Amino acid sequence: MIVLKNEEELRLLRESNRIVAQVLANLGEAIKPGVTTGELDSMAEMLIRERGAIPAFKGYRGFPASLCTSVNEEVIHGIPGSRRLKEGDIISLDIGVWLNGYYGDAAITVPVGKADADAARLLTVTEKALYEGISEARVGKRIYDISHAIQSCVESNGFSVVRDFVGHGIGRDLHEEPQIPNFGEPHRGPRLEKGMVLAIEPMVNQGTWEVKILPDGWTAVTADGKLSAHFEHTIVVTEDEPLILSVK
Ligand code: MG
């Protein structure tokens, strides 16, 4: 069942997602060569807690950190630790927070120092695919209109979309229905209705779409070792333009 949110719930979801956006912006500014992913995680937890919220990923199904840090060929769910970022790396930062009963969730991928041209183009296309997906999130459209817009943007630029992980509804639970694949035929799936809150999150690979999971049980990496990027926003379907909740 897809839960539609009322005005009060949307206000609370906006608060949770505003914190996500603020923390991501602060983390993005801290990205530079020499920083460890563990330091970023500590910073994320402090920034979340000082805003009165709780890190939603920490302890979620046993995930050990507040922040997912996925570097280069890591797709999502990278575990922060002693890895030191190097000039030219790219890193995906994904956080969830919980405040007043409602979740926020968003992700960005940023270069460490200066990315080379190929990596920079991957980031640009992945973010563009996210916005093309968001622009389909309108009353009367269907979930797979979002999916198809993302896939078309990605593949027309020569990249591939990850199949094994999908976007999701969000609200009182971190992962609610519906699932939102980043690929598929348009005009299918549930109809979009006013008050649906969706976390849309394309994961885009330079090479094959196939991924594998590292022995840590969490980190998804590209099967061919090429780069991967990930952008995510939480949005609400309105009677007009979709509204992005995960902005400052
Ligand atoms: Mg998500």
Side-chain angles (χ1 to χ4, degrees), residues 89-112:
D89 284 343
I90 60 171
I91 179 170
S92 152
L93 305 169
D94 188 358
I95 63 164
V97 312
W98 185 82
L99 177 69
N100 295 323
Y102 289 85
Y103 285 95
D105 189 7
I108 55 174
T109 303
V110 294
V112 180

Side-chain angles (χ1 to χ4, degrees), residues 111-144:
V112 180
K114 192 166 168 22
D116 70 31
D118 285 349
R121 197 170 73 84
L122 178 69
L123 302 189
T124 303
V125 168
T126 307
E127 189 170 24
K128 180 165 187 279
L130 169 61
Y131 285 102
E132 301 225 338
I134 290 172
S135 72
E136 292 294 308
R138 293 168 166 276
V139 171
K141 296 261 190 177
R142 292 173 180 256
I143 287 292
Y144 274 79

Side-chain angles (χ1 to χ4, degrees), residues 37-48:
T37 53
E39 288 163 354
L40 295 169
D41 178 54
S42 301
M43 194 182 308
E45 178 161 6
M46 187 195 73
L47 291 166
I48 292 167

Side-chain angles (χ1 to χ4, degrees), residues 94 105 168 175 199 201 232:
D94 188 358
D105 189 7
H168 51 94
H175 297 116
E201 51 178 322
E232 175 178 22

